[in-house]
Amino acid sequence: MATTQTSAQASTHRRAALVTGASRGIGRAIALRLAADGLDVAIGYAGSAARAEETVAAAREAGVNAIAVQGDVSQAPDVARLFDAAQQAFGRLDVVVNSAGIMPMAPVAPASLDAFDQIIATNLRGAFLVLGEAAARLDGGGRIVALSTSVIARSFPGYGPYIAAKAGVEGLVRVLANELRGRCITVNAVAPGPVATELFLDGKSDEQIAQLSKVAPLERLGTPADIAAAVSFLAGPDGAWVNAQVLRANGGFA
């Protein structure tokens, strides 16, 4: 269910954004950065209502309207409900960011098929549904941003299903940009390198984390704020001429 707004009526003059996977990690940072940029934000989340409400409260501190909407991006009715709630709350929708994703490790092997199907359902099918719904709903001047990964260029063992899904996302971004020809809507992806989030850190040893933090020439892990800044650029006025691109925000990781 969507939370109620702080004001009696939706803002009609501020731009508005929908961010999926926004209750934590990179998605939360993106939602809060867009709120700081002056956009009303709909916080899409799959599981933790409490975390989503915390993000809503933090976004409202920036002086914008914010709501939380639960939904599984792999399910078409849920995705449609996310968009319906955002448009009903704000009276418009200008920016859509698909940040929802999972990253379990699994080798390329028959025993990994269940993990593969799960990753493809959330990370690729979910992107297909969110990007497709955004294409149907946004007007001229709209911005669509998907989250990919810079791990594609590294081909680390155990990342096969995740890389396969994100490579598909990058393909969808380029095709959709061409399908939206003439509508003045940009479609891009941001591909983070290793970022210090729960999703990335889960299941990794201290040694692995230390090793990965040294791969990029800047010799640190990225932060959610680093990625949010790249999305802010693509969603803002300075990103208007960037289209059908993958922005690799990774400190030189790949």
Side-chain angles (χ1 to χ4, degrees), residues 116-144:
F116 177 83
D117 288 344
Q118 182 184 19
I119 294 167
I120 292 296
T122 298
N123 294 4
L124 184 54
R125 176 185 167 91
F128 182 88
L129 289 170
V130 172
L131 268 60
E133 199 72 46
R137 306 247 191 169
L138 294 185
D139 294 324
R143 308 292 174 83
I144 302 172

Side-chain angles (χ1 to χ4, degrees), residues 2-254:
T3 58
T4 57
Q5 291 178 256
T6 55
S7 58
Q9 295 187 357
S11 167
T12 57
H13 64 278
R14 279 194 299 264
R15 297 169 76 218
L18 166 63
V19 183
T20 67
S23 64
R24 63 178 183 172
I26 291 173
R28 172 185 166 92
I30 291 169
L32 295 184
R33 174 57 189 264
L34 294 178
D37 291 344
L39 280 74
D40 293 332
V41 288
I43 310 301
Y45 71 98
S48 176
R51 285 189 172 187
E53 291 297 343
E54 289 173 0
T55 306
V56 166
R60 287 176 177 169
E61 289 179 2
V64 300
N65 294 325
I67 61 169
V69 192
Q70 192 276 336
D72 179 349
V73 295
S74 72
Q75 301 301 314
D78 285 22
V79 172
R81 189 176 70 252
L82 291 173
F83 280 79
D84 287 342
Q87 290 182 309
Q88 182 178 5
F90 308 137
R92 59 186 295 167
L93 192 57
D94 305 275
V95 176
V96 174
V97 182
N98 186 50
S99 181
I102 58 175
M103 193 173 63
M105 298 293 98
V108 180
S112 300
L113 185 58
D114 287 347
F116 177 83
D117 288 344
Q118 182 184 19
I119 294 167
I120 292 296
T122 298
N123 294 4
L124 184 54
R125 176 185 167 91
F128 182 88
L129 289 170
V130 172
L131 268 60
E133 199 72 46
R137 306 247 191 169
L138 294 185
D139 294 324
R143 308 292 174 83
I144 302 172
V145 183
L147 269 289
S148 180
T149 177
S150 290
V151 174
I152 289 174
R154 288 283 181 170
S155 303
F156 290 142
Y159 282 82
Y162 183 71
I163 287 174
K166 291 300 189 178
V169 170
E170 293 190 7
L172 290 175
V173 162
R174 294 188 176 99
V175 171
L176 183 57
N178 281 309
E179 290 180 348
L180 295 179
R181 175 180 294 273
R183 289 182 54 189
C184 295
I185 299 172
T186 65
V187 189
N188 294 288
V190 173
V195 177
T197 64
E198 290 181 32
L199 183 68
F200 172 77
L201 298 174
D202 184 43
K204 294 182 175 65
S205 67
D206 291 342
E207 181 181 0
Q208 288 173 314
I209 293 168
Q211 183 179 10
L212 286 168
S213 70
K214 295 295 185 182
V215 173
L218 296 182
E219 293 192 335
R220 68 170 176 86
L221 296 178
T223 68
D226 291 326
I227 311 309
V231 173
S232 173
F233 163 69
L234 293 174
D238 291 339
W241 189 234
V242 182
N243 192 27
Q245 302 302 311
V246 179
L247 176 54
R248 304 206 178 278
N250 59 29
F253 174 81

